[in-house]
Amino acid sequence: MDRLKGVEYFKRIYELGSFTAVADEFRCSNAVISKYVKFLESWTGAKLILRNTRTISFTDEGHRFYEYCRSITEQTEHLLDSVANTGELTGQLVIASPVSLTMKVLAPLVFQFQNEHPQIAIRMQMSDQITDPVGSGVDLAIRGIEAPEDSSLIAVRLGSLERILVASPSYLNRAGTPETVGSLGQHQCLIYSLSSDANHWEFSPSAGDIVPLSVTVSGPVTADNSLVLADAAKAGLGIALLPRTYVQQELVRGELQELHLDAHPIPRSIYAVYSDRKYLPKRARLFTEFLKTAFR
Protein backbone atom coordinates (compact mmCIF):
# COMPACT_ATOMS: atom_id res chain seq x y z
CA MET A 1 0.00 0.00 0.00
CA ASP A 2 1.02 3.62 -0.55
CA ARG A 3 2.49 4.70 2.79
CA LEU A 4 2.46 8.42 1.92
CA LYS A 5 -1.22 8.22 0.97
CA GLY A 6 -1.88 6.54 4.29
CA VAL A 7 -0.11 9.39 6.07
CA GLU A 8 -2.30 11.91 4.22
CA TYR A 9 -5.45 9.96 5.11
CA PHE A 10 -4.52 9.73 8.80
CA LYS A 11 -3.71 13.46 8.99
CA ARG A 12 -7.16 14.34 7.66
CA ILE A 13 -8.91 11.78 9.90
CA TYR A 14 -7.32 13.50 12.88
CA GLU A 15 -8.28 16.97 11.65
CA LEU A 16 -11.83 16.17 10.53
CA GLY A 17 -12.64 13.53 13.15
CA SER A 18 -14.50 11.34 10.69
CA PHE A 19 -13.70 8.46 8.34
CA THR A 20 -16.68 9.43 6.17
CA ALA A 21 -15.56 13.06 5.79
CA VAL A 22 -12.09 11.91 4.70
CA ALA A 23 -13.55 9.37 2.27
CA ASP A 24 -15.70 12.12 0.75
CA GLU A 25 -12.73 14.48 0.50
CA PHE A 26 -10.54 11.92 -1.28
CA ARG A 27 -13.45 10.45 -3.26
CA CYS A 28 -13.02 6.91 -2.03
CA SER A 29 -14.95 4.55 0.25
CA ASN A 30 -14.92 4.20 4.02
CA ALA A 31 -13.54 0.72 3.50
CA VAL A 32 -10.46 2.13 1.78
CA ILE A 33 -9.84 4.55 4.65
CA SER A 34 -10.27 1.75 7.21
CA LYS A 35 -7.87 -0.48 5.30
CA TYR A 36 -5.21 2.23 5.33
CA VAL A 37 -5.65 2.79 9.07
CA LYS A 38 -5.10 -0.93 9.69
CA PHE A 39 -2.04 -0.78 7.45
CA LEU A 40 -0.62 2.15 9.42
CA GLU A 41 -1.29 0.43 12.74
CA SER A 42 0.48 -2.67 11.46
CA TRP A 43 3.39 -0.55 10.22
CA THR A 44 3.78 1.37 13.48
CA GLY A 45 3.00 -1.61 15.71
CA ALA A 46 0.58 0.50 17.77
CA LYS A 47 -3.13 1.11 18.08
CA LEU A 48 -3.71 4.61 16.71
CA ILE A 49 -7.49 5.07 16.65
CA LEU A 50 -10.25 3.92 18.97
CA ARG A 51 -13.50 3.64 17.05
CA ASN A 52 -17.11 2.74 17.84
CA THR A 53 -20.34 3.12 15.90
CA ARG A 54 -20.66 6.82 16.73
CA THR A 55 -17.30 8.39 17.48
CA ILE A 56 -13.57 8.01 17.05
CA SER A 57 -10.80 8.98 19.44
CA PHE A 58 -7.03 8.79 19.33
CA THR A 59 -4.58 6.96 21.54
CA ASP A 60 -1.43 8.65 22.84
CA GLU A 61 0.40 6.93 19.97
CA GLY A 62 -2.24 8.29 17.58
CA HIS A 63 -1.67 11.86 18.78
CA ARG A 64 2.09 11.49 18.30
CA PHE A 65 1.63 9.85 14.92
CA TYR A 66 -0.49 12.80 13.78
CA GLU A 67 2.41 15.17 14.47
CA TYR A 68 4.61 12.90 12.37
CA CYS A 69 2.03 12.86 9.55
CA ARG A 70 1.68 16.65 9.65
CA SER A 71 5.45 17.09 9.49
CA ILE A 72 5.79 14.62 6.60
CA THR A 73 3.04 16.19 4.47
CA GLU A 74 4.35 19.72 5.06
CA GLN A 75 7.92 18.74 4.20
CA THR A 76 6.72 16.86 1.11
CA GLU A 77 4.79 19.88 -0.15
CA HIS A 78 7.75 22.14 0.56
CA LEU A 79 10.08 19.80 -1.34
CA LEU A 80 7.76 19.53 -4.33
CA ASP A 81 7.41 23.32 -4.44
CA SER A 82 11.16 23.80 -4.35
CA VAL A 83 12.06 21.23 -7.01
CA ALA A 84 9.22 21.92 -9.43
CA ASN A 85 10.66 23.07 -12.75
CA THR A 86 7.45 24.62 -14.08
CA GLY A 87 5.54 27.68 -13.04
CA GLU A 88 2.28 25.72 -12.77
CA LEU A 89 0.75 25.42 -9.32
CA THR A 90 -0.95 22.22 -8.21
CA GLY A 91 -2.53 20.75 -5.10
CA GLN A 92 -5.35 21.86 -2.85
CA LEU A 93 -5.48 25.29 -1.25
CA VAL A 94 -7.54 25.29 1.97
CA ILE A 95 -8.81 28.72 3.06
CA ALA A 96 -10.72 29.51 6.25
CA SER A 97 -12.56 32.83 6.27
CA PRO A 98 -15.56 34.62 7.82
CA VAL A 99 -18.89 34.17 6.05
CA SER A 100 -19.67 37.85 5.44
CA LEU A 101 -16.14 38.75 4.36
CA THR A 102 -16.11 35.82 1.94
CA MET A 103 -19.46 36.59 0.36
CA LYS A 104 -18.85 40.33 -0.01
CA VAL A 105 -15.11 40.54 -0.67
CA LEU A 106 -13.12 37.32 -0.93
CA ALA A 107 -15.18 35.03 -3.14
CA PRO A 108 -14.67 36.94 -6.42
CA LEU A 109 -10.92 37.13 -5.71
CA VAL A 110 -10.73 33.41 -4.95
CA PHE A 111 -12.51 32.64 -8.22
CA GLN A 112 -10.17 34.93 -10.15
CA PHE A 113 -7.12 33.25 -8.61
CA GLN A 114 -8.45 29.78 -9.44
CA ASN A 115 -9.12 30.84 -13.05
CA GLU A 116 -5.52 31.99 -13.30
CA HIS A 117 -4.26 28.73 -11.75
CA PRO A 118 -6.73 26.04 -12.92
CA GLN A 119 -4.59 23.16 -11.63
CA ILE A 120 -5.24 24.24 -8.04
CA ALA A 121 -8.25 22.84 -6.20
CA ILE A 122 -9.63 25.33 -3.67
CA ARG A 123 -11.52 24.33 -0.54
CA MET A 124 -13.21 27.18 1.32
CA GLN A 125 -14.14 26.76 4.99
CA MET A 126 -16.47 29.61 5.90
CA SER A 127 -17.21 30.32 9.54
CA ASP A 128 -17.52 33.47 11.61
CA GLN A 129 -15.82 31.63 14.46
CA ILE A 130 -12.03 32.03 14.40
CA THR A 131 -10.24 29.04 12.86
CA ASP A 132 -6.88 28.10 14.31
CA PRO A 133 -4.53 27.18 11.44
CA VAL A 134 -2.60 24.85 13.76
CA GLY A 135 -3.95 21.31 13.46
CA SER A 136 -7.00 22.25 11.38
CA GLY A 137 -5.66 21.37 7.95
CA VAL A 138 -6.01 24.99 6.83
CA ASP A 139 -3.31 26.61 4.70
CA LEU A 140 -4.48 30.17 5.37
CA ALA A 141 -7.01 31.77 7.68
CA ILE A 142 -8.29 35.15 6.52
CA ARG A 143 -9.35 37.42 9.37
CA GLY A 144 -10.81 40.91 9.56
CA ILE A 145 -9.51 42.12 12.92
CA GLU A 146 -8.01 45.15 14.60
CA ALA A 147 -4.66 43.40 15.16
CA PRO A 148 -3.44 39.79 15.51
CA GLU A 149 -3.55 38.49 19.08
CA ASP A 150 -1.70 35.16 18.86
CA SER A 151 2.02 35.91 18.58
CA SER A 152 2.75 32.25 17.75
CA LEU A 153 1.05 32.67 14.36
CA ILE A 154 2.34 34.57 11.35
CA ALA A 155 0.02 37.34 10.18
CA VAL A 156 0.41 39.17 6.87
CA ARG A 157 -1.62 42.35 6.51
CA LEU A 158 -3.52 42.36 3.21
CA GLY A 159 -5.44 45.61 3.43
CA SER A 160 -8.19 47.30 5.41
CA LEU A 161 -11.96 47.61 5.52
CA GLU A 162 -13.53 51.02 6.05
CA ARG A 163 -16.31 50.76 8.63
CA ILE A 164 -19.32 53.06 8.70
CA LEU A 165 -22.45 53.58 10.78
CA VAL A 166 -25.73 52.89 9.00
CA ALA A 167 -29.42 52.94 9.85
CA SER A 168 -32.69 52.78 7.94
CA PRO A 169 -34.68 55.93 7.14
CA SER A 170 -37.55 54.54 9.25
CA TYR A 171 -35.34 54.21 12.34
CA LEU A 172 -33.87 57.70 11.92
CA ASN A 173 -37.33 59.23 11.46
CA ARG A 174 -38.47 57.54 14.64
CA ALA A 175 -35.39 57.93 16.88
CA GLY A 176 -33.60 60.93 15.39
CA THR A 177 -30.17 61.12 13.78
CA PRO A 178 -27.16 61.04 16.13
CA GLU A 179 -24.52 63.69 15.48
CA THR A 180 -21.81 62.80 18.02
CA VAL A 181 -20.10 59.63 19.15
CA GLY A 182 -21.38 60.16 22.67
CA SER A 183 -25.01 60.28 21.54
CA LEU A 184 -24.85 56.68 20.29
CA GLY A 185 -25.29 55.54 23.88
CA GLN A 186 -28.90 56.76 23.73
CA HIS A 187 -29.69 54.81 20.55
CA GLN A 188 -30.58 51.23 19.74
CA CYS A 189 -27.37 49.69 18.34
CA LEU A 190 -26.89 46.34 16.62
CA ILE A 191 -23.99 44.33 18.03
CA TYR A 192 -21.52 42.12 16.18
CA SER A 193 -20.63 39.72 18.97
CA LEU A 194 -17.26 38.54 17.59
CA SER A 195 -15.75 42.02 17.29
CA SER A 196 -13.09 43.15 19.74
CA ASP A 197 -15.17 46.29 20.28
CA ALA A 198 -18.57 44.57 20.29
CA ASN A 199 -20.19 46.70 23.01
CA HIS A 200 -17.62 49.50 23.03
CA TRP A 201 -17.45 51.03 19.58
CA GLU A 202 -14.16 52.78 18.89
CA PHE A 203 -13.56 55.86 16.78
CA SER A 204 -10.48 57.70 15.57
CA PRO A 205 -8.89 59.93 18.24
CA SER A 206 -9.56 63.63 18.24
CA ALA A 207 -6.79 65.95 17.04
CA GLY A 208 -3.88 65.81 19.48
CA ASP A 209 -5.10 62.65 21.21
CA ILE A 210 -3.62 59.17 20.88
CA VAL A 211 -6.39 57.22 22.64
CA PRO A 212 -9.38 56.26 20.48
CA LEU A 213 -12.81 57.55 21.39
CA SER A 214 -15.06 54.85 22.79
CA VAL A 215 -18.75 54.63 23.50
CA THR A 216 -20.69 51.85 25.23
CA VAL A 217 -23.59 50.66 23.08
CA SER A 218 -26.45 48.21 23.44
CA GLY A 219 -29.49 47.20 21.49
CA PRO A 220 -32.12 44.63 20.58
CA VAL A 221 -30.07 42.36 18.30
CA THR A 222 -26.69 40.69 18.80
CA ALA A 223 -25.33 38.36 16.11
CA ASP A 224 -22.08 36.72 15.02
CA ASN A 225 -22.72 37.50 11.35
CA SER A 226 -22.46 41.00 9.89
CA LEU A 227 -24.96 40.43 7.07
CA VAL A 228 -27.63 39.56 9.63
CA LEU A 229 -26.99 42.91 11.28
CA ALA A 230 -27.31 44.65 7.92
CA ASP A 231 -30.74 43.04 7.53
CA ALA A 232 -31.67 44.09 11.08
CA ALA A 233 -30.69 47.67 10.26
CA LYS A 234 -32.81 47.58 7.09
CA ALA A 235 -35.73 46.37 9.22
CA GLY A 236 -35.45 49.56 11.30
CA LEU A 237 -34.16 47.89 14.47
CA GLY A 238 -31.23 50.22 15.09
CA ILE A 239 -27.79 51.46 14.07
CA ALA A 240 -25.15 49.05 12.77
CA LEU A 241 -21.37 49.43 12.52
CA LEU A 242 -20.36 47.58 9.36
CA PRO A 243 -17.73 47.56 6.59
CA ARG A 244 -18.87 49.89 3.82
CA THR A 245 -18.50 47.20 1.16
CA TYR A 246 -21.03 45.00 2.98
CA VAL A 247 -23.84 47.56 2.58
CA GLN A 248 -22.86 49.45 -0.58
CA GLN A 249 -25.91 48.29 -2.54
CA GLU A 250 -28.29 49.13 0.32
CA LEU A 251 -26.82 52.64 0.48
CA VAL A 252 -27.29 53.13 -3.26
CA ARG A 253 -30.90 51.92 -3.07
CA GLY A 254 -31.64 54.15 -0.09
CA GLU A 255 -32.52 51.24 2.19
CA LEU A 256 -29.79 52.38 4.57
CA GLN A 257 -28.26 55.79 5.26
CA GLU A 258 -24.70 56.48 6.35
CA LEU A 259 -24.34 58.46 9.57
CA HIS A 260 -21.70 61.18 9.80
CA LEU A 261 -20.62 61.88 13.38
CA ASP A 262 -17.81 63.93 14.90
CA ALA A 263 -15.32 61.03 14.49
CA HIS A 264 -14.82 58.10 12.12
CA PRO A 265 -15.04 54.43 13.12
CA ILE A 266 -11.64 52.74 13.31
CA PRO A 267 -11.14 50.52 10.22
CA ARG A 268 -10.56 46.79 10.43
CA SER A 269 -7.44 45.31 8.88
CA ILE A 270 -7.55 42.08 6.91
CA TYR A 271 -4.82 39.54 7.63
CA ALA A 272 -3.75 36.23 6.16
CA VAL A 273 -2.78 34.07 9.13
CA TYR A 274 -0.80 30.84 9.03
CA SER A 275 1.25 28.73 11.40
CA ASP A 276 4.61 28.12 9.75
CA ARG A 277 6.43 30.30 7.24
CA LYS A 278 9.00 27.59 6.46
CA TYR A 279 6.45 25.03 5.29
CA LEU A 280 3.80 27.30 3.82
CA PRO A 281 2.93 25.78 0.41
CA LYS A 282 3.87 27.80 -2.64
CA ARG A 283 0.23 28.05 -3.70
CA ALA A 284 -0.62 29.65 -0.33
CA ARG A 285 2.29 32.10 -0.59
CA LEU A 286 1.24 33.17 -4.08
CA PHE A 287 -2.40 33.48 -3.06
CA THR A 288 -1.35 35.75 -0.20
CA GLU A 289 0.61 37.96 -2.60
CA PHE A 290 -2.35 37.93 -5.00
CA LEU A 291 -4.65 39.20 -2.23
CA LYS A 292 -2.20 41.92 -1.18
CA THR A 293 -2.11 43.21 -4.75
CA ALA A 294 -5.90 42.99 -5.11
CA PHE A 295 -6.53 44.93 -1.88
CA ARG A 296 -4.10 47.63 -2.91
Side-chain angles (χ1 to χ4, degrees):
M1 301 185 76
D2 186 335
R3 189 174 296 171
L4 182 58
K5 186 176 291 293
V7 164
E8 292 175 345
Y9 287 166
F10 187 88
K11 175 177 177 289
R12 295 302 288 149
I13 292 170
Y14 190 97
E15 292 167 351
L16 298 178
S18 165
F19 279 41
T20 300
V22 177
D24 290 344
E25 182 174 304
F26 287 93
R27 298 182 181 180
C28 62
S29 67
N30 274 21
V32 169
I33 301 299
S34 297
K35 187 179 296 184
Y36 267 97
V37 170
K38 291 179 181 178
F39 165 70
L40 293 174
E41 291 180 331
S42 175
W43 174 48
T44 60
K47 187 70 173 175
L48 302 175
I49 296 178
L50 302 174
R51 187 183 183 195
N52 59 33
T53 56
R54 291 186 177 182
T55 62
I56 65 172
S57 59
F58 296 86
T59 64
D60 288 343
E61 291 80 7
H63 290 298
R64 293 200 299 270
F65 189 66
Y66 166 72
E67 294 301 328
Y68 165 80
C69 293
R70 183 167 173 258
S71 174
I72 288 297
T73 53
E74 287 176 346
Q75 290 183 56
T76 300
E77 289 182 343
H78 180 66
L79 176 64
L80 294 176
D81 282 344
S82 65
V83 302
N85 54 14
T86 71
E88 191 174 78
L89 297 179
T90 59
Q92 179 174 248
L93 175 62
V94 185
I95 307 164
S97 57
V99 176
S100 303
L101 181 65
T102 302
M103 295 177 67
K104 290 295 186 178
V105 178
L106 284 178
L109 300 177
V110 171
F111 303 152
Q112 180 183 341
F113 183 79
Q114 206 282 328
N115 276 327
E116 294 177 4
H117 304 283
Q119 299 305 312
I120 290 181
I122 295 177
R123 181 157 59 89
M124 302 173 69
Q125 297 182 185
M126 293 183 292
S127 172
D128 286 316
Q129 300 296 324
I130 292 178
T131 299
D132 185 353
V134 179
S136 63
V138 168
D139 292 316
L140 290 173
I142 309 299
R143 299 179 182 173
I145 52 180
E146 182 178 1
E149 295 181 356
D150 190 342
S151 60
S152 68
L153 299 175
I154 298 166
V156 177
R157 188 177 184 277
L158 304 174
S160 64
L161 289 176
E162 178 192 7
R163 297 194 300 170
I164 61 174
L165 294 168
V166 295
S168 69
S170 64
Y171 174 82
L172 297 176
N173 288 335
R174 182 176 72 251
T177 301
E179 297 182 353
T180 65
V181 169
S183 64
L184 289 173
Q186 283 72 55
H187 279 267
Q188 297 293 317
C189 294
L190 308 172
I191 309 301
Y192 178 54
S193 61
L194 299 181
S195 176
S196 60
D197 61 353
N199 293 97
H200 304 279
W201 290 355
E202 295 186 339
F203 296 78
S204 300
S206 302
D209 291 337
I210 58 174
V211 178
L213 299 174
S214 177
V215 60
T216 300
V217 294
S218 62
V221 177
T222 298
D224 62 1
N225 183 284
S226 296
L227 299 186
V228 170
L229 297 181
D231 287 340
K234 285 193 295 182
L237 297 181
I239 298 170
L241 174 60
L242 298 168
R244 178 184 295 277
T245 188
Y246 289 11
V247 292
Q248 190 62 50
Q249 294 180 351
E250 289 82 354
L251 292 171
V252 171
R253 292 194 296 259
E255 296 170 336
L256 292 173
Q257 294 181 14
E258 180 179 356
L259 307 183
H260 300 280
L261 308 186
D262 54 344
H264 299 289
I266 293 178
R268 278 291 176 263
S269 292
I270 302 176
Y271 289 88
V273 181
Y274 49 94
S275 60
D276 194 326
R277 188 187 307 275
K278 182 177 181 181
Y279 295 121
L280 185 69
K282 181 179 180 181
R283 57 185 174 272
R285 293 197 303 271
L286 292 187
F287 181 65
T288 300
E289 292 303 316
F290 170 83
L291 289 182
K292 287 171 65 176
T293 299
F295 280 113
R296 279 200 297 269

